[in-house]
Amino acid sequence: MTHPRRRPAQVRSQARPNTSKESTAASPQRFEAEVLPGLEPWAEQEITQCLGDAVRLLGRPGGGRIALEFGGSLQRLNDLRSVIAVHLVEDFEIPRPQALLGHQHFTRLVRAAQLITDASAPGAFSTLRISAAGSQSAVLRRLKEELGHALRLTSVEDDGDLLLSVRRRPDAQTGWRILLRLSHRPLSARAWRVCNLPGALNATVANVMARIATPSAKERFLNVACGSGTLLIERLALGAAKLAVGCDLSPSALDCARQNLQASGHQAVADLVQADAGSLPFGSGSFDTIVADLPYGMLMGSEAELRDLYPRFLVEATRVAAASCSLVVITPRRGLFETALAEHRAQWTAQPQFTVKVPFQSGMIEPSIFFLKRA
């Protein structure tokens, strides 16, 4: 049976252009923060520190998901730097997604979307995408079309500004959950990244690595193998440092980092130096924090080259490290790094390490993050 084409005209007439950069729910609402699996504790720490009494953590509904209740400005959620995205949660007690086309549920869905679009600058949202199993079904295609008309957005299949995900409710046998992303693109896609290199470190991971070392204004910070500058920029985004240096052997990488530093507004407070990770042109005891996203041997560096590089890097890191220096390193070659580190156990005290799942090419990898303190 063919259903007649109908559009909820009353709802469509309520749609309005974005006019405000701030939007606050009348009462606390439920959200889900999407994070890279393994970073949940650090994201929870940032959420509670940044949002204070306005937020209440509700647990982890799944890997890489943090449920929370929040009643403040939505923009504050979009300012988080350790999360991939934050989604507004709307639960519907309905047997099938088709019921979302009913006037009551559709009106509620449009109002939730308008709360998000009104919290952003005019023109930030122009396209709409629905993510769901069976997204090409007649019901979901129609839902996307109706929402597009009501919100004055163009429906697309990929990379939509307003992302709406349709899921079965995890806590009930019946009912459906709608997740609406608060930002027009993932928060991990930093605005400062005007130059990108293959295999560049995810910015949310870089944020956590910079925070692990407890940054301070007196800190002398060194980013070895800085690549496009992700770790360097994320550290400076946390606050001023006495010294911030990035070094890389590749001139093209340094040029890329220079462009990103300029876009981030930190070019005047950071120095870039061409240098090999195993032969650093700095005096002994020069740095309080050293961070490195070492070559993985996937896109850069062969196995033989890494077996040579990792020990040389640790020799130099030990030499330029000041007393109580923090060393934070990410690498999927855990065994290779631990073998190299065995020669320096007397110089470094190992703190708890953890793994994180990050996208790589068409799949995922699980690099380890090592945290060491100069003994």
Side-chain angles (χ1 to χ4, degrees):
M1 177 178 179
T2 301
H3 293 280
R5 306 290 293 176
R6 54 185 171 86
R7 305 195 194 287
Q10 291 181 338
V11 174
R12 192 168 65 251
S13 67
Q14 294 172 354
R16 55 193 181 277
N18 300 325
T19 58
S20 172
K21 293 185 180 180
E22 293 286 330
S23 183
T24 303
S27 59
Q29 289 187 275
R30 288 196 62 181
F31 299 87
E32 277 191 15
E34 177 187 354
V35 305
L36 291 177
L39 298 187
E40 292 95 340
W42 294 95
E44 288 168 342
Q45 182 190 78
E46 184 191 17
I47 289 169
T48 55
Q49 287 179 346
C50 293
L51 304 179
D53 294 337
V55 71
R56 183 165 68 96
L57 296 180
L58 303 176
R60 302 177 188 174
R65 293 276 174 172
I66 299 171
L68 57 107
E69 189 177 73
F70 179 69
S73 164
L74 299 190
Q75 184 55 48
R76 296 180 65 190
L77 294 171
N78 281 338
D79 288 338
L80 297 171
R81 302 186 68 86
S82 61
V83 305
I84 299 296
V86 182
H87 305 261
L88 174 63
V89 176
E90 294 285 346
D91 285 333
F92 292 84
E93 295 291 345
I94 55 176
R96 293 178 298 275
Q98 183 177 359
L100 293 169
L101 290 163
H103 178 77
Q104 178 183 357
H105 298 312
F106 189 82
T107 301
R108 178 183 159 198
L109 191 55
V110 170
R111 287 174 177 168
Q114 288 174 335
L115 186 68
I116 293 171
T117 57
D118 286 351
S120 300
F125 290 86
S126 61
T127 58
L128 164 71
R129 179 168 77 93
I130 289 183
S131 171
S135 60
Q136 296 303 311
S137 67
V139 169
L140 291 180
R141 286 202 309 269
R142 183 176 163 203
L143 177 62
K144 184 165 67 170
E145 180 182 344
E146 300 288 8
L147 283 172
H149 278 280
L151 298 167
R152 302 175 187 172
L153 302 177
T154 301
S155 298
V156 296
E157 298 299 324
D158 298 302
D159 299 327
D161 298 325
L162 180 62
L163 174 62
L164 185 150
S165 302
V166 182
R167 306 283 188 268
R168 287 189 178 274
R169 286 185 59 183
D171 57 348
Q173 292 183 351
T174 61
W176 290 79
R177 172 165 293 177
I178 307 298
L179 302 171
L180 300 101
R181 191 175 66 193
L182 301 188
S183 53
H184 69 281
R185 62 178 183 174
L187 299 178
S188 55
R190 304 293 203 241
W192 54 255
R193 195 181 289 282
V194 296
C195 178
N196 196 24
L197 293 177
L201 186 64
N202 185 288
T204 64
V205 178
N207 168 268
V208 169
M209 290 178 63
R211 285 165 51 202
I212 285 175
T214 314
S216 73
K218 298 181 179 179
E219 181 181 23
R220 296 168 298 173
F221 181 88
L222 173 63
N223 179 192
V224 179
C226 67
S228 59
T230 306
L231 275 162
L232 188 59
I233 293 170
E234 287 300 310
R235 163 59 188 90
L236 292 171
L238 297 174
K242 182 178 180 180
L243 180 66
V245 180
C247 66
D248 200 287
L249 187 59
S250 167
S252 59
L254 292 174
D255 182 64
C256 189
R258 193 171 292 108
Q259 295 178 52
N260 288 331
L261 279 165
Q262 183 174 2
S264 71
H266 298 303
Q267 71 275 15
V269 293
D271 295 317
L272 295 176
V273 178
Q274 184 177 2
D276 179 17
S279 181
L280 299 174
F282 310 113
S284 299
S286 298
F287 295 96
D288 307 299
T289 300
I290 304 171
V291 299
D293 175 18
L294 296 176
Y296 292 177
M298 298 174 184
L299 295 178
M300 297 179 62
S302 66
E303 181 75 15
E305 289 172 329
L306 297 190
R307 289 187 181 279
D308 172 69
L309 173 64
Y310 283 19
R312 291 194 301 113
F313 161 72
L314 282 169
V315 168
E316 283 296 87
T318 302
R319 182 183 65 81
V320 302
S324 300
C325 175
S326 296
L327 174 61
V328 186
V329 175
I330 182 170
T331 174
R333 300 302 184 91
R334 176 176 175 175
L336 188 61
F337 188 78
E338 288 180 333
T339 298
L341 185 60
E343 300 294 324
H344 301 275
R345 289 298 184 185
Q347 288 83 36
W348 295 96
T349 301
Q351 308 298 313
Q353 61 178 275
F354 60 95
T355 61
V356 57
K357 290 185 178 180
V358 297
F360 183 80
Q361 296 181 341
S362 59
M364 302 284 285
I365 58 173
E366 296 187 35
S368 295
I369 295 178
F370 290 82
F371 177 32
L372 308 167
K373 293 290 289 185
R374 188 73 164 86

